Amino acid sequence: HPEVYRMYMFHKNRTLPPNTLQADGRPEWVFVFGSNLAGRHGAGAALVASQQFQARTGVGYGREGISFAIPTKDQELDVLPLTGTKCKDIRYFIELFKLYALHRQDAHEKFFVTAIGTELAGYKHSDIAPLFIGSPENCSFPEEWMPFFAPEMADNEILFQD
């Protein structure tokens, strides 16, 4: 069997997706941000999501408007573990997101994934980025994550370079 390499897209960290529309007028990009299970979007990318991408207070996981919340903290705002707690760890929520993004490829939606968990939750890029390996090709990631996607790095596209 030949090796199959995915085409990943990358963007500068702390930037926003382009404000582009699909042919039917729907936004092309969905803003993916780190959240808490209480759905309090008061700081970091979560605040940006609530101010600019229709994230809703009280929704700590999933799609709202043109945003998608992936929890990195629980209801009490304590940091979630990366793995090992079955349905209450970051890996679980990322796996659910990957399935959702795969399902939305037919709708021609793209997902602009922020560096979730690397600021307010305190994880390193090297902790979080590998959890996204295997994401569908309609996802763009912070360029700092590029080294963690090896060996799948054959023909990657850097988006939004200045």
Side-chain angles (χ1 to χ4, degrees), residues 69-85:
I70 298 178
T72 58
K73 294 185 175 186
D74 65 16
Q75 293 263 6
E76 289 76 38
L77 309 186
D78 293 323
V79 175
L80 290 173
L82 287 172
T83 62
T85 57

Side-chain angles (χ1 to χ4, degrees), residues 85-98:
T85 57
K86 196 173 185 182
C87 302
K88 285 288 187 176
D89 59 44
I90 295 171
R91 176 188 298 269
Y92 171 77
F93 290 110
I94 290 173
E95 289 300 320
L96 289 177
F97 163 74
K98 287 163 37 175

Side-chain angles (χ1 to χ4, degrees), residues 5-10 137 146 151-158:
Y5 292 94
R6 293 183 185 276
M7 173 80 115
Y8 291 105
M9 297 181 286
F10 295 90
E137 294 178 5
M146 195 180 291
E152 298 187 45
M153 297 303 298
D155 296 307
N156 293 288
E157 179 181 354
I158 305 274

Side-chain angles (χ1 to χ4, degrees), residues 15-158:
T15 60
L16 299 176
N19 188 17
T20 54
L21 300 177
Q22 297 184 47
D24 64 3
R26 290 181 301 122
E28 181 179 28
W29 289 92
V30 175
F31 186 77
V32 181
F33 66 100
S35 182
N36 56 70
L37 288 171
R40 291 187 217 138
H41 309 310
L47 181 60
V48 172
S50 75
Q51 292 174 339
Q52 299 182 42
F53 297 96
Q54 303 161 353
R56 228 177 52 197
T57 300
V59 179
Y61 169 76
R63 176 77 179 263
E64 281 294 327
I66 50 175
S67 67
F68 194 103
I70 298 178
T72 58
K73 294 185 175 186
D74 65 16
Q75 293 263 6
E76 289 76 38
L77 309 186
D78 293 323
V79 175
L80 290 173
L82 287 172
T83 62
T85 57
K86 196 173 185 182
C87 302
K88 285 288 187 176
D89 59 44
I90 295 171
R91 176 188 298 269
Y92 171 77
F93 290 110
I94 290 173
E95 289 300 320
L96 289 177
F97 163 74
K98 287 163 37 175
L99 289 171
Y100 180 83
L102 179 64
H103 174 74
R104 297 303 294 171
Q105 278 184 313
D106 289 342
H108 305 289
E109 288 181 336
K110 296 178 184 172
F111 294 87
F112 191 93
V113 180
T114 62
I116 72 157
T118 62
E119 299 213 359
L120 300 175
Y123 285 108
K124 297 180 184 129
H125 292 289
S126 59
D127 296 323
I128 299 292
L131 300 177
F132 282 93
I133 292 173
S135 293
E137 294 178 5
N138 58 337
C139 296
S140 179
F141 302 100
E143 63 186 4
E144 291 87 348
W145 292 8
M146 195 180 291
F148 305 107
F149 281 73
E152 298 187 45
M153 297 303 298
D155 296 307
N156 293 288
E157 179 181 354
I158 305 274

